[in-house]
Amino acid sequence: MTAPEEPQDPALTVHLHGSGGAIKGWVVVDTLVDGLAMGGTRMTAGVTEEEVAGLARDMTEKFTLAGLRIGGAKAGIVADGSDREETFRTFGRTVKPLLHGGIHLGIDMGVTPADRAVFFEEAKYDPRYRLGAPDMPIDWRTYYEPLIDATGHGVGVAAITALEASGRTGPAHVVVQGFGAVGRAVARFLEDRGHVVVGIADVQGTISADRLPVADLVAITDQFGAIDRTRLPQGVKLSAEPDAWLDVDADILILAAQKYALTAENTHRLRAGLVVEGANLASSAAAKEKVAASGAALVPGVIANIGGAASAALAVTRVVPFDLPAEARKAWVFDWVGDRVRQNTRDLLEIAASRAGNPLPELLAARRKER
């Protein structure tokens, strides 16, 4: 099956009730391309079918824009994570027919690589082997885990590309909302290129300073992206006010945490002239409209936040040159991601400069013709 010209309703929505155990959730297959689709698995206590469908549509758009021949899908599990082992064993048994039928499900918010290993094992699913495709010569963990910073790399490339397109020279001030794997990688990426991180938000609030030492803060951040407030450098300002990251003077705002961080209700507080989405569904549609009307630029997640998804899709579709040594293979994937993000960011901003309204549909239509 080839990709539809204009995706409408999802190709398939599966309601999960549990095989050999209770579970509540959904798998939404938005599109199929060559019989394949893929996306992450999100587990939160409040995830909804509508949210999963939106994330699956995002995956379709990401792969369309990146020129990858695979459709978009997403899974959602309604759970608080209190019984992870049983939850993911039940999930693996339940989605086994989908995994073996060409629907590759990976990790997303609330799901770790260890959780993925559990549901892959329970489903007897090994991405190395698929009918009609050459075998992967390495296991999934060996391939994927070195690429953990690919998403942050792509978000950083989007930010740099947009800065260049604006004609800006010299260091930019950056606020990073969310300090998980993506936020940390973007902060390092931009600091390494001479830009200054002046604000970081985590689940406890916002910290700011004239210059935040990224490496020092990474060293005191836990696996969930929470910064240890007892070990902060001197001179750092703290705020527990909701959305205080919007009030920090900056040139770039990186959204790398929860969905709809930027909304119609808080966009008026935005100070940065460039917003880059490093998370899925990071801004509401109304917020995007307000950002555009204000004269600021916004690079959406379907362009900037493709690193992890693309890394997996490149393997599932067997595009990766697996014969390369490990470091060279990693460099190849990072370069591939950077090239796609750079080109899509440039093209999106060119369209935006030429007419009013949302430029993304026009860019998607162009990429569908090329696919």
Side-chain angles (χ1 to χ4, degrees):
M1 181 177 178
T2 58
E5 286 298 304
E6 192 73 37
Q8 298 296 330
D9 294 332
L12 176 69
T13 299
V14 178
H15 292 246
L16 308 178
H17 301 292
S19 174
I23 194 172
K24 179 182 179 181
W26 308 267
V27 175
V28 177
V29 179
D30 186 64
T31 50
L32 283 164
V33 177
D34 299 337
L36 299 173
M38 66 164 291
T41 302
R42 173 167 294 195
M43 183 176 73
T44 67
V47 68
T48 65
E49 180 181 352
E50 179 183 21
E51 179 181 348
V52 177
L55 292 164
R57 177 58 51 88
D58 261 20
M59 296 301 294
T60 289
E61 293 184 352
K62 285 181 184 182
F63 295 142
T64 300
L65 290 164
L68 285 162
R69 293 203 57 79
I70 193 166
K74 208 78 176 185
I77 303 171
V78 182
D80 61 6
S82 58
D83 192 357
R84 306 186 77 86
E85 180 80 13
E86 182 56 32
T87 295
F88 286 105
R89 292 209 176 278
T90 302
F91 179 71
R93 292 192 298 270
T94 307
V95 300
K96 180 177 180 178
L98 297 174
L99 291 171
H100 289 278
I103 312 303
H104 178 87
L105 300 174
I107 60 176
D108 193 64
M109 185 184 300
V111 181
T112 69
D115 298 327
R116 178 183 57 203
V118 170
F119 71 76
F120 276 13
E121 177 187 5
E122 195 68 20
K124 305 286 192 293
Y125 172 66
D126 190 331
R128 289 180 295 178
Y129 311 117
R130 191 179 78 244
L131 291 176
D135 293 346
M136 284 178 59
I138 55 176
D139 67 86
W140 190 257
R141 181 177 177 180
T142 300
Y143 167 73
Y144 195 76
E145 289 193 0
L147 305 175
I148 186 66
D149 287 341
T151 299
H153 176 78
V155 176
V157 169
I160 295 293
T161 303
L163 279 178
E164 291 172 348
S166 71
R168 182 187 174 91
T169 59
H173 287 179
V174 182
V175 171
V176 180
Q177 184 261 343
F179 211 49
V182 175
R184 294 194 296 271
V186 179
R188 287 191 297 258
F189 180 99
L190 293 175
E191 186 182 65
D192 287 347
R193 286 154 181 80
H195 301 291
V196 182
V197 177
V198 295
I200 293 173
D202 64 4
V203 293
Q204 301 175 72
T206 300
I207 66 173
S208 60
D210 291 340
R211 178 186 293 270
L212 289 171
V214 174
D216 292 347
L217 293 174
V218 169
I220 60 172
T221 301
D222 68 18
Q223 62 178 323
F224 302 107
I227 301 169
D228 186 348
R229 296 302 196 265
T230 68
R231 301 166 62 191
L232 287 174
Q234 290 187 345
V236 171
K237 299 176 184 177
L238 302 176
S239 175
E241 181 186 347
D243 303 339
W245 41 273
L246 279 165
D247 303 322
V248 180
D249 280 318
D251 305 297
I252 306 172
L253 170 62
I254 305 292
L255 298 175
Q258 80 273 16
K259 67 173 183 176
Y260 301 147
L262 200 60
T263 67
E265 289 70 37
N266 66 14
T267 304
H268 68 279
R269 292 166 58 183
L270 178 68
R271 299 191 180 193
L274 170 63
V275 179
V276 182
E277 293 186 330
N280 297 314
L281 306 180
S283 309
S284 69
K288 286 184 171 71
E289 289 181 9
K290 288 192 171 185
V291 170
S294 74
L298 185 147
V299 182
V302 292
I303 286 177
N305 174 29
I306 70 162
S311 298
L314 287 165
V316 171
T317 56
R318 305 301 194 256
V319 174
V320 174
F322 288 109
D323 56 332
L324 291 176
E327 282 303 312
R329 185 172 62 243
K330 176 181 176 180
W332 186 94
V333 173
F334 273 60
D335 287 346
W336 192 99
V337 168
D339 288 346
R340 296 309 186 279
V341 170
R342 189 176 298 108
Q343 189 62 58
N344 281 325
T345 300
R346 286 173 178 164
D347 290 350
L348 183 87
L349 294 175
E350 284 182 11
I351 295 170
S354 67
R355 64 171 181 81
N358 182 3
L360 187 59
E362 184 174 332
L363 182 59
L364 278 164
R367 294 293 183 262
R368 286 191 192 103
K369 293 178 181 178
E370 298 166 1
R371 198 172 182 183

